[in-house]
Amino acid sequence: MQIILASNNKGKQKELQQILQENPFTFHTLSEYAQIPDPPETQKTFRGNALQKARFVYGFTGGIVIADDSGLCVDALNGAPGVHSKRYTPEATAESNNKK
């Protein structure tokens, strides 16, 4: 059974393949689907973003899709950056986000 990860993260692909190695699952990342752009992440919650990404990728493939979303919720920053962790700075790069 083929399962599409709504992510380009090869690490997630490898982890799931190892965890479920006894099952007939094959995991694919978005890097294997050039026709699919990066899924949007415009929701106000991690759950909302995960659902948005899964539905977006499903719209292109019609296949089984798994998606997740995560971020850092820092008490000293009143929960920020939270759901906006990936886009915490205008540059939206790991380097600029870490610096801020």
Side-chain angles (χ1 to χ4, degrees):
M1 177 182 302
Q2 294 189 23
I3 299 174
I4 303 161
L5 303 177
S7 170
N8 286 303
N9 188 327
K10 294 283 189 183
K12 286 181 188 180
Q13 178 187 30
K14 184 179 177 182
E15 287 175 6
L16 286 169
Q17 201 70 58
Q18 287 175 341
I19 292 167
L20 299 171
Q21 64 184 327
E22 301 297 323
N23 295 286
F25 304 124
T26 304
F27 295 94
H28 301 274
T29 65
L30 291 182
S31 62
E32 299 172 55
Y33 296 87
Q35 76 277 17
I36 303 176
D38 283 338
E41 297 180 49
T42 60
Q43 301 303 302
K44 295 180 180 183
T45 65
F46 296 122
R47 182 176 188 271
N49 275 341
L51 286 170
Q52 182 181 37
K53 290 189 284 187
R55 289 175 177 145
F56 180 82
V57 173
Y58 176 81
F60 281 90
T61 67
I64 298 170
V65 180
I66 294 176
D68 72 329
D69 192 39
S70 63
L72 299 173
C73 299
V74 181
D75 290 339
L77 298 174
N78 296 317
V83 74
H84 303 290
S85 293
K86 186 176 178 181
R87 301 166 305 282
Y88 193 48
T89 60
E91 300 84 7
T93 64
E95 183 179 345
S96 64
N97 290 341
N98 290 340
K99 187 176 179 180
K100 184 173 181 178

